[in-house]
Amino acid sequence: MKLARIELRGFKSFCDNTKISLGGKGISVILGPNGCGKSNVVDAIRWAMGEQRVKHLRGHDMSDVIFAGSGDRPAMGMASVLLYFDNTVGKSNFKYSDFSEICVGRRIYRDG
């Protein structure tokens, strides 16, 4: 299976709904200047796949993954990451082998 798409909302620096498509053939890269959120994409993937150690997500508390606000925007109350995997080859666990796309996601609310 290949990671085809990532959808982020309120996760770290991604306050707006953000979709990152990775479905092309070959290698996909995320490129940008320092401070643009490249590492936050990697953190989002780790977090959605179940990472429990906050230090591996570069935070002190799990609520640190929720957009904290900026000069122009208020803090958000929720963070969500969805990972969409292309399963057209049917190589996943047999329970899901009939599905062409499999989604794994995680959500956290600031109020617990």
Side-chain angles (χ1 to χ4, degrees):
M1 287 193 318
K2 292 183 180 181
L3 181 59
R5 170 169 99 248
I6 305 167
E7 293 183 8
L8 307 112
R9 182 170 186 227
F11 186 86
K12 290 194 170 190
S13 59
F14 295 95
C15 56
D16 293 326
N17 290 342
T18 304
K19 295 179 182 178
I20 302 170
S21 294
L22 304 168
K25 294 187 180 207
I27 297 172
S28 295
V29 298
I30 297 175
L31 190 66
N34 291 344
C36 73
K38 299 179 303 287
S39 296
N40 291 345
V41 174
V42 175
D43 289 346
I45 294 168
R46 288 184 74 147
W47 183 71
M49 294 298 291
E51 181 62 68
Q52 295 293 319
R53 293 166 296 215
V54 180
K55 70 176 187 171
H56 290 287
L57 301 171
R58 298 174 302 121
H60 300 291
D61 185 75
M62 194 55 81
S63 65
D64 289 345
V65 302
I66 303 171
F67 179 71
S70 68
D72 300 356
R73 304 192 115 161
M76 296 191 73
M78 184 264 304
S80 171
V81 176
L82 299 172
L83 306 177
Y84 291 86
F85 293 92
D86 179 359
N87 188 42
T88 52
V89 181
K91 294 229 175 193
S92 71
N93 179 321
F94 102 13
K95 185 175 177 182
Y96 304 107
S97 61
D98 292 338
F99 296 96
S100 62
E101 185 175 73
I102 297 171
C103 179
V104 174
R106 190 169 178 187
R107 181 175 288 173
I108 185 171
Y109 293 92
R110 194 174 297 282
D111 63 4

